[in-house]
Amino acid sequence: MTSVNNTIAQLTLTPVGDTADSGVCTSDQVKSPWDLDTGLPSYGPGSSMDDVAPEDTPQQGVIPEKYRTADDAELDERIRAAQETLGERLVVLGHFYQRDEVVQYADFIGDSFQLANQALNREEAEYIVFCGVHFMAETADILSKDAQKVILPNLAAGCSMADMADESSVEECWEQLEEIYGTEADSEGRVPVIPVTYMNSSAALKAFVGRNGGIVCTSSNATTVLEWAFERGQRVLFFPDQHLGRNTAKALGIDLEQMPLWSPAKPLGGNTPEALQNAKVLLWHGFCSVHRRFNTGQIDKARAEYPGVNVIVHPECPMEVVDAADSAGSTDFIQKAVAAATEPTTFAIGTEINMVNRLADQYPQHTIFCLDPVICPCSTMYRIHPGYIAWVLEELVAGRVVNQISVPATDAANARVALERMLAAKP
């Protein structure tokens, strides 16, 4: 197992020059996540470390010392013993972007779409421990049964992209759009605008979408969702990730001039009324800090060094990167593309480093590497650590539930409407 965590530790032992020369985006990545459990809210070291965390960003309190000082072997023993004791009362879900030290304990590993389905299907489990980030745990709580409890091992595992669109800003945007477009449907029964939120958003925004006739999408079904939206609306308001929205709409043949960017701090999002009237997809000014790191220069370098390389990127990457790649798709798409290669192939992949390295381990017959030469994992996924997992599981064994994620009933009901539409929109 080529652990990103171990690689970072080795690289930072003997740094040369700046962190980029050392192969990591920051030497702080070698620190344990609990070193960040006090002080001002932050996303932590990694891809989104320079993004500004809102003041109300959840923070994780300091966990007991025995979990912070235990070595890998002791934590492994504690976790597996707790899993055995809890048995079928427990299910552990792990996202593709989690470190290997975490996903080894997952009963199921997948992307956000797959994990949403798993949360819906595991009715026998009393406890769903979600090794992902906050919005994913919220989604699991919304879709799970009332008696089930969803637990996020580290409350500070958020998402900077999700935080780029807050409920008040989206509500204000919606009011401005209603002033421009009105609320009456056209002769075909299509309303002026349909809201679409990416899975990477808060439960409050999923609820907003549910209340206003919209739908949630994932990178797996974004095309299907946009088609669904255009059957019902003349335009789409897509948030928070501009790149997924732009890449998906462009693939459907929508002109770039019909995809204005909405900057929430500016009147009319920084657009003229004429530009908004001409719009087909309004793109929120949000992005993923992991996928924004990829660029066409990296693709050019990969092609020069590995003639015939197959370049696959995630659609959260900027448009020019998606255009320069051989293909683009969700994490599940990327995994299936590698698995389907029958002959030894060289893959240059533009997505989070933990998943890329795991694919390289799983398919040694191929040459697989990350387009970004600097190791810079998802900051917030990296906040999950076996120490936190051991803590929450042993608390469950003792009959105590910690770090439960619970969405208010009204938000949950409205968000469930939008999520059920998403689950029905199978790609």
Side-chain angles (χ1 to χ4, degrees):
M1 180 175 70
T2 308
S3 164
V4 169
N5 190 52
N6 291 340
T7 301
I8 290 171
Q10 293 166 6
L11 288 172
T12 55
L13 286 175
T14 54
V16 179
D18 61 26
T19 51
D21 292 334
S22 306
V24 293
C25 59
T26 170
S27 59
D28 285 345
Q29 288 171 324
V30 76
K31 295 180 180 179
S32 299
W34 40 79
D35 291 335
L36 304 167
D37 284 347
T38 58
L40 296 174
S42 73
Y43 295 116
S47 61
S48 56
M49 61 190 169
D50 294 326
D51 296 337
V52 178
E55 291 183 1
D56 60 352
T57 299
Q59 290 183 273
Q60 173 63 49
V62 178
I63 61 175
E65 184 179 4
K66 62 183 178 181
Y67 300 108
R68 292 181 279 123
T69 57
D71 60 23
D72 293 345
E74 181 183 349
L75 289 174
D76 181 72
E77 183 178 351
R78 285 177 175 272
I79 292 169
R80 296 195 185 279
Q83 285 182 299
E84 184 175 356
T85 299
L86 293 165
E88 293 186 357
R89 298 170 63 200
L90 169 73
V91 62
V92 179
L93 304 180
H95 193 273
F96 282 133
Y97 293 166
Q98 284 292 348
R99 61 176 87 190
D100 290 333
E101 290 83 359
V102 166
V103 296
Q104 64 179 322
Y105 302 113
D107 297 299
F108 187 85
I109 305 170
D111 62 16
S112 54
F113 185 84
Q114 295 167 323
L115 295 177
N117 276 293
Q118 284 298 312
L120 187 64
N121 295 334
R122 298 302 291 263
E123 296 183 9
E124 74 283 1
E126 289 180 50
Y127 309 115
I128 301 171
V129 173
F130 211 118
C131 297
V133 293
H134 198 272
F135 72 80
M136 297 179 186
E138 285 186 327
T139 300
D141 180 61
I142 293 165
L143 295 175
S144 61
K145 300 296 183 183
D146 290 342
Q148 293 178 301
K149 293 178 172 59
V150 177
I151 295 158
L152 184 64
N154 185 337
L155 293 177
C159 174
S160 61
M161 179 206 290
D163 291 338
M164 291 175 188
D166 63 274
E167 186 179 13
S168 62
S169 295
V170 173
E171 289 278 9
E172 184 177 350
C173 166
W174 192 251
E175 290 174 4
Q176 293 181 65
L177 293 181
E178 286 187 335
E179 291 179 7
I180 293 289
Y181 300 136
T183 58
E184 296 298 318
D186 64 11
S187 59
E188 298 177 6
R190 297 182 306 156
V191 297
V193 59
I194 292 281
V196 175
T197 188
Y198 190 22
M199 176 69 90
N200 301 38
S201 60
S202 69
L205 287 187
K206 292 181 176 73
F208 167 88
V209 165
R211 290 195 307 272
N212 290 283
I215 187 171
V216 179
C217 82
T218 72
S219 52
S220 298
N221 72 348
T223 297
T224 304
V225 164
L226 278 191
E227 291 171 341
W228 180 96
F230 280 121
E231 289 174 0
R232 293 158 176 81
Q234 301 164 46
R235 304 169 187 82
V236 169
L237 170 62
F238 191 99
F239 53 89
D241 182 32
Q242 60 172 298
H243 299 299
L244 177 63
R246 183 179 295 107
N247 290 321
T248 305
K250 182 183 177 187
L252 288 174
I254 297 174
D255 193 276
L256 293 177
E257 292 184 357
Q258 294 180 299
M259 291 188 265
L261 195 64
W262 184 279
S263 299
K266 300 177 181 178
L268 296 183
N271 300 286
T272 64
E274 292 75 21
L276 294 178
Q277 287 289 357
N278 186 51
K280 295 292 290 181
V281 179
L282 294 94
L283 301 169
W284 196 265
H285 197 309
F287 54 83
C288 170
S289 293
V290 170
H291 294 101
R292 193 173 68 159
R293 290 182 58 86
F294 298 108
N295 58 64
T296 56
Q298 295 164 350
I299 295 178
D300 293 341
K301 186 173 185 292
R303 296 199 189 283
E305 294 180 357
Y306 299 92
V309 65
N310 187 342
V311 180
I312 311 177
V313 301
H314 195 281
E316 289 176 18
C317 292
M319 180 185 66
E320 59 272 15
V321 174
V322 170
D323 289 347
D326 294 301
S327 59
S330 68
T331 48
D332 185 54
F333 172 90
I334 294 170
Q335 177 149 306
K336 287 179 177 176
V338 173
T342 56
E343 298 295 328
T345 305
T346 299
F347 290 98
I349 298 178
T351 196
E352 211 272 348
I353 183 66
N354 279 286
M355 178 179 171
V356 177
N357 281 18
R358 194 171 300 123
L359 287 172
D361 283 341
Q362 291 173 340
Y363 299 96
Q365 71 272 31
H366 302 312
T367 299
I368 300 174
F369 61 93
C370 187
L371 274 174
D372 187 356
V374 177
I375 298 175
C376 202
C378 174
S379 305
T380 49
M381 287 281 184
Y382 217 57
R383 300 294 281 269
I384 305 291
H385 181 281
Y388 295 102
I389 300 173
W391 170 57
V392 298
L393 293 187
E394 291 192 337
E395 287 292 298
L396 290 178
V397 170
R400 296 184 293 267
V401 178
V402 295
N403 283 22
Q404 182 178 353
I405 302 300
S406 184
V407 178
T410 302
D411 277 352
N414 288 316
R416 189 178 295 112
V417 171
L419 285 165
E420 288 174 349
R421 290 171 181 156
M422 175 199 79
L423 292 169
K426 299 187 183 300

